[in-house]
Amino acid sequence: MGVVRQDYGMDSETKKLNWYYYRKEDGCGDRAICHYLRLEHLISLLETGKLYANRRKEFKDANEGYENKKLAFGFSSVGDSAIPEVKIQDRLIPYSDIIYCPTSCWTTKQQESFLMWKCYATEMGACIKTTVHNLISSLNIDLSSSNEENKVLCGSVDYVEDYMRITIEENQLFDKDIAYADEEEFRFYFHLKSDTDKDSKGIRIPVNTKVMIDSVLLSPFICKEAADKIARMLKCAYNVNVEQSKIKVSL
């Protein structure tokens, strides 16, 4: 286990390197990921240029809001690009903030999933396709090495049979009950200086949608006539590449 600090390019204006943290096991940032959501949420994202991230405590899985008192230390960095071991007082995400941390959940499943449509999108749903690197690069927040108060952590989720026995901070962030294993989840945590209202259900993170979104897949539950019109609207209004679902369902 380990977390590596990775640069993803230089900011064109500030000329500072930008950084994010990823699990060593996940390798490079060009990994393809998808996000299923309701169509109105997609349009809100395109209109506002802001990605909504729920706090962990708001998830349906009650384990996500469980505050593990056994955790007593932070991340260590590993690998060729490692930074010094993170001390308790300099942990990447303070222990007290773990269950309140805004989180964006994606899947590494590239095959369109009927179950994902049913669980995470209404009949008028969509699926965003992108890569880890593109999502990170689309963030309009200061992640330069000189601003240690803003941090993004990302990594694939491992599925375990006894979540309540977790005693390592990284595992609490990236482990999940085995009942959710079919999701093949990849998640992003946002620990931002501007996030001060811990009582809110989530935050909206400014993004460049042209960088973030490779293409959009429409739900199989949208009839062809409506899907064609929605595809034309998304292309005309937001210049988004739209694909039609290949799943055949009875409407």
Side-chain angles (χ1 to χ4, degrees), residues 36-178:
Y36 290 79
L37 72 171
R38 293 160 59 169
L39 186 60
E40 62 265 35
H41 293 167
L42 170 65
I43 294 174
S44 175
L45 166 63
L46 293 167
E47 272 293 312
T48 64
K50 292 183 179 180
L51 174 68
Y52 186 77
N54 278 309
R55 298 194 189 281
R56 281 191 67 196
K57 66 183 181 66
E58 299 296 331
F59 291 171
K60 290 183 179 180
D61 180 2
N63 289 331
E64 299 279 8
Y66 169 65
E67 196 168 2
N68 193 334
K69 301 295 185 182
K70 297 178 181 178
L71 299 181
F73 53 89
F75 284 110
S76 297
S77 293
V78 297
D80 295 336
S81 57
I83 56 174
E85 182 175 344
V86 179
K87 298 178 181 179
I88 295 176
Q89 64 268 29
D90 298 323
R91 66 176 68 238
L92 298 183
I93 295 181
Y95 162 70
S96 59
D97 287 352
I98 287 180
I99 65 172
Y100 300 99
C101 198
T103 310
S104 184
C105 302
W106 297 64
T107 179
T108 57
K109 278 180 177 285
Q110 295 307 294
Q111 183 66 38
E112 184 182 3
S113 170
F114 181 86
L115 292 179
M116 296 295 279
W117 283 122
K118 295 293 288 184
C119 288
Y120 296 105
T122 61
E123 292 186 355
M124 295 293 284
C127 174
I128 298 172
K129 295 184 177 183
T130 188
T131 65
V132 173
H133 184 274
N134 285 354
L135 193 151
I136 294 289
S137 298
S138 74
L139 298 173
N140 288 326
I141 54 180
D142 183 5
L143 293 175
S144 61
S145 55
S146 61
N147 186 354
E148 289 295 331
E149 294 182 282
N150 288 340
K151 300 182 183 71
V152 175
L153 283 71
C154 64
S156 56
V157 170
D158 293 329
Y159 298 92
V160 297
E161 292 187 359
D162 194 351
Y163 183 89
M164 302 302 286
R165 291 177 63 86
I166 290 175
T167 58
I168 300 176
E169 184 178 15
E170 181 190 349
N171 290 15
Q172 188 177 28
L173 290 168
F174 292 108
D175 278 8
K176 198 169 181 177
D177 192 285
I178 198 169

